[in-house]
Amino acid sequence: MASLQLSSHFLGTNTTKHNSISISNSYSQTPFTRLFSRKKFMSCSMSMNGCEGDFKTPLGTIETRTMAAILSPTAATERLISAVSELKSQLPPLSSGVVRIQVPIDQQIEAIDWLQAQDESQPRCFFSRRSDVGRPDLLLDLASENGNGGSSNRDLVSVAGIGSAVFFRDLDPFSHDDWRSIRRFLSSSSPLIRAYGGMRFDPNGKISVEWEPFGAFYFAVPQVEFNEFGGSSMLAATLAWDDELSWTLEDAIEALEETMLQVSSVVMRLRRESLGVSVLSKNHVPTKGAYYPAVEKALAIIKQKSSSLSKVVLARNSRIITDTDIDPIAWLAQLQSEGHDAYQFCLQPPGAPAFIGNTPERLFQRNQLGVCSEALAATRPRSASTARDMEIERDLLTSPKDDLEFSIVRENIREKLNSICDKVVVKPQKTVRKLARVQHLYSQLAGKLRREDDEFDILAALHPTPAVCGLPAEEARLLIKEIESFDRGMYAGPIGFFGGEESEFAVGIRSALVEKGLGALIYAGTGIVAGSNPASEWNELDLKISQFTKSIEYEATTTTTLQTIN
């Protein structure tokens, strides 16, 4: 269980909650945060905070009602509004519950296009699974060994949501009690009722102003949700209530009806060529002049015989100011067009900036008792020349420095999975995973949990991985805290969903925080091990943020739409 103790700083064990918040003075002087601090902080007041409920008391009902299939989003929206209204006379007088009403749509519509059409003042979330075509499915192999077929929702591509039927947020680190509070609203019999959200990289660290609305963690079950499947779609509405939290069934229905009236059924397909903005300024924290000495300092500590540190990940944020506001959903759609081999996500609590990302890295996926993770480390650019690209791949596979960095990550994850699983399979031991702009060393790891209730222990064991923090984790965290002069927030934290049947989390890297009138903060990090070179690491940071900056470095035409979907 040593690996669990290493991660104890990153997830909470103390169940006593408080309302204080720690704001770092060192983060409060940037133009981004000075402007943000003048905005009135908005709490999640449109529903109930499930963390305040009694997780030991089961809900009165958790159910899903499926309507007849509809041909278009417009017809589905009308049918859903009618069904929500009918609930007033249909539901029994229970003191608590969750009900999802879903309307299948007989055409595949991209969830991100639906989200773009919705009122941007609503809390928003988006989660798109990556394509794993061509890689072994270790979870499916485990399910087959155990005599079941795995998840019934394997063809779910993307989910977009607005509003919150119930949310979960606190300023203290995510604890086992918080996990039980979320699980109280979930059931394997309603597998698409899910809580989407994320956690800070270091929940005990000081919170800067721009990250304040996210708390130490934030999850929400959307009020209105659009599911994109392979070949079809689905529009759904969810209401949750608990009289003990002073949020009655009548309150939930009224709030949902108000949200449904704002839902747009006119879905526009986005152009993904440009955002129509130009960069006015770009500043890095740290600057190149500060970053080089930071890397040298880390290398000096790694080389010390008395130090146990073998790797530390040093990050950078790049603040860009643009001539007009960046639309975070349009930006995400653009990332999605070249990121089929990555997760895309958007998380935006009420009154908060939008945290978006295009991350290639899975933290874990749970399907019943099966759990899968992966090691991803070391970076090289791609080349348009096939011959040159293969040459770069060979260099990556044979580099001693990169093999060291990758092996640290893989063996640490293997050790952590061994602490919570009966057996762990590693397949392959090492290969190259090619993305649109970069390529990494890669391996999959999977195991069988001893109990389904061990899901919280997956997070406690796996976050943070050496790929985003270092090894040992606590030594690396302390050095990061000493060296980095900005708040990572949810950058490099777990981003994903909890569900009754399955859960899945990505690592929130290759990400940006976008706020109206303030431009964006783009985050990236590199692993420092023996043999690292400051100049190469700085170039790697530029390479990693290039997917965000490529579309807004130059003057571009305004984003338009191609087609209306009725």
Side-chain angles (χ1 to χ4, degrees):
M1 297 298 289
S3 59
L4 292 180
Q5 294 171 358
L6 283 173
S7 300
S8 63
H9 179 91
F10 293 87
L11 293 178
T13 55
N14 186 351
T15 59
T16 302
K17 299 294 184 180
H18 58 77
N19 293 319
S20 64
I21 189 165
S22 177
I23 306 295
S24 170
N25 290 331
S26 65
Y27 305 141
S28 61
Q29 299 304 311
T30 68
F32 188 100
T33 52
R34 281 203 302 269
L35 285 169
F36 184 87
S37 64
R38 288 200 287 266
K39 297 187 67 176
K40 182 179 179 181
F41 172 73
M42 294 176 60
S43 64
C44 305
S45 58
M46 289 301 292
S47 63
M48 58 182 173
N49 187 345
C51 291
E52 298 172 358
D54 181 5
F55 57 78
K56 298 177 183 177
T57 303
L59 296 182
T61 184
I62 301 177
E63 59 181 276
T64 297
R65 301 182 178 188
T66 304
M67 316 298 288
I70 297 292
L71 293 176
S72 70
T74 300
T77 303
E78 293 171 354
R79 184 68 189 92
L80 207 52
I81 291 173
S82 175
V84 170
S85 179
E86 293 168 2
L87 279 177
K88 296 176 183 178
S89 60
Q90 292 178 349
L91 286 175
L94 298 171
S95 62
S96 63
V98 179
V99 176
R100 172 185 166 105
I101 307 171
Q102 55 191 31
V103 182
I105 302 171
D106 286 336
Q107 60 173 313
Q108 183 174 353
I109 298 166
E110 293 191 42
I112 200 165
D113 290 340
W114 178 88
L115 185 59
Q116 173 68 14
Q118 307 311 314
D119 182 0
E120 62 183 29
S121 66
Q122 290 274 2
R124 298 186 287 188
C125 67
F126 179 82
F127 188 78
S128 178
R129 297 180 124 157
R130 71 181 192 197
S131 170
D132 284 328
V133 174
R135 286 190 289 272
D137 190 334
L138 299 189
L139 273 186
L140 187 59
D141 293 345
L142 281 174
S144 299
E145 288 178 13
N146 296 321
N148 62 66
S151 170
S152 58
N153 297 294
R154 299 185 67 82
D155 61 343
L156 181 59
V157 177
S158 301
V159 174
I162 60 171
S164 59
V166 55
F167 69 93
F168 308 86
R169 178 187 179 274
D170 208 299
L171 302 177
D172 289 333
F174 189 72
S175 69
H176 190 262
D177 286 356
D178 295 319
W179 175 78
R180 293 178 70 185
S181 295
I182 293 176
R183 292 286 295 181
R184 180 175 177 240
F185 287 83
L186 308 175
S187 170
S188 58
S189 63
S190 292
L192 291 180
I193 298 178
R194 296 170 169 178
Y196 294 88
M199 309 171 200
R200 288 174 56 82
F201 166 76
D202 184 355
N204 289 289
K206 294 179 180 179
I207 301 178
S208 59
V209 176
E210 67 268 23
W211 286 106
E212 186 177 331
F214 294 83
F217 63 89
Y218 173 84
F219 289 88
V221 176
Q223 278 182 308
V224 183
E225 189 177 304
F226 195 92
N227 300 149
E228 176 191 348
F229 295 91
S232 65
S233 308
M234 181 181 288
L235 185 66
T238 302
L239 69 157
W241 71 97
D242 187 345
D243 291 354
E244 293 300 315
L245 292 177
S246 300
W247 188 255
T248 66
L249 174 59
E250 291 74 18
D251 294 329
I253 292 176
E254 181 180 344
L256 179 54
E257 286 181 324
E258 183 177 336
T259 300
M260 284 299 305
L261 290 175
Q262 300 176 53
V263 170
S264 172
S265 59
V266 180
V267 181
M268 311 294 281
R269 289 205 176 107
L270 291 164
R271 288 183 65 91
R272 288 161 167 80
E273 285 82 1
S274 69
L275 293 176
V277 301
S278 297
V279 175
L280 301 179
S281 65
K282 179 168 65 175
N283 298 290
H284 302 302
V285 177
T287 62
K288 183 185 288 189
Y291 180 78
Y292 279 37
V295 173
E296 296 290 359
K297 179 177 182 178
L299 287 171
I301 294 173
I302 290 171
K303 292 175 183 176
Q304 290 176 2
K305 292 183 179 180
S306 59
S307 173
S308 60
L309 188 71
S310 59
K311 176 182 179 179
V312 64
V313 177
L314 298 182
R316 182 185 79 182
N317 77 29
S318 302
R319 181 166 53 85
I320 60 171
I321 301 297
T322 54
D323 57 345
T324 58
D325 285 341
I326 301 173
D327 182 334
I329 305 304
W331 206 4
L332 190 60
Q334 191 175 70
L335 295 172
Q336 190 181 41
S337 66
E338 69 166 43
H340 297 294
D341 204 20
Y343 295 94
Q344 288 83 39
F345 65 83
C346 173
L347 184 60
Q348 188 170 24
F355 182 49
I356 66 172
N358 185 53
T359 171
E361 186 172 354
R362 171 185 289 155
L363 183 63
F364 77 89
Q365 181 183 5
R366 177 192 65 81
N367 182 351
Q368 299 174 26
L369 289 178
V371 59
C372 181
S373 186
E374 62 190 27
L376 190 76
T379 306
R380 289 287 192 282
R382 296 295 306 275
S383 174
S385 164
T386 301
R388 175 58 182 152
D389 200 57
M390 291 297 295
E391 184 180 333
I392 295 171
E393 176 183 335
R394 286 192 296 270
D395 178 65
L396 180 58
L397 282 169
T398 57
S399 163
K401 178 262 180 187
D402 291 303
D403 182 70
L404 171 63
E405 181 180 349
F406 173 73
S407 297
I408 288 172
V409 174
R410 183 192 60 211
E411 294 310 306
N412 182 259
I413 294 174
R414 187 206 302 261
E415 176 188 347
K416 289 177 175 180
L417 285 179
N418 274 325
S419 70
I420 55 176
C421 295
D422 285 332
K423 68 173 184 176
V424 175
V425 177
V426 181
K427 185 179 180 180
Q429 290 292 320
K430 182 173 77 171
T431 189
V432 170
R433 182 160 164 219
K434 294 178 181 289
L435 305 174
R437 295 172 178 272
V438 295
Q439 46 192 319
H440 304 283
L441 294 177
Y442 172 80
S443 179
Q444 282 195 89
L445 303 92
K448 181 183 177 182
L449 291 173
R450 299 182 181 98
R451 302 177 307 148
E452 199 163 308
D453 285 347
D454 289 339
E455 182 174 60
F456 177 80
D457 291 337
I458 303 175
L459 277 171
L462 293 179
H463 175 69
T465 71
V468 295
C469 181
L471 195 72
E474 183 61 11
E475 284 82 345
R477 183 195 69 82
L478 290 173
L479 184 58
I480 289 169
K481 183 177 180 180
E482 177 185 344
I483 289 179
E484 291 183 1
S485 59
F486 64 92
D487 179 15
R488 289 191 179 192
M490 287 189 175
Y491 163 71
I495 305 291
F497 68 86
F498 290 110
E501 185 180 59
E502 64 176 325
S503 302
E504 186 166 9
F505 281 81
V507 181
I509 57 174
R510 319 288 162 86
S511 50
L513 193 66
V514 188
E515 169 67 5
K516 275 189 173 296
L518 306 178
L521 290 167
I522 308 174
Y523 300 87
T526 60
I528 309 303
V529 298
S532 292
N533 175 273
S536 297
E537 303 301 332
W538 183 266
N539 291 337
E540 184 176 320
L541 292 171
D542 287 339
L543 178 64
K544 286 178 175 176
I545 71 167
S546 65
Q547 60 179 318
F548 282 93
T549 59
K550 72 179 183 70
S551 60
I552 52 177
E553 292 289 351
Y554 306 100
E555 190 76 28
T557 58
T558 303
T559 300
T560 58
T561 56
L562 287 177
Q563 180 180 347
T564 302
I565 306 168
N566 296 315

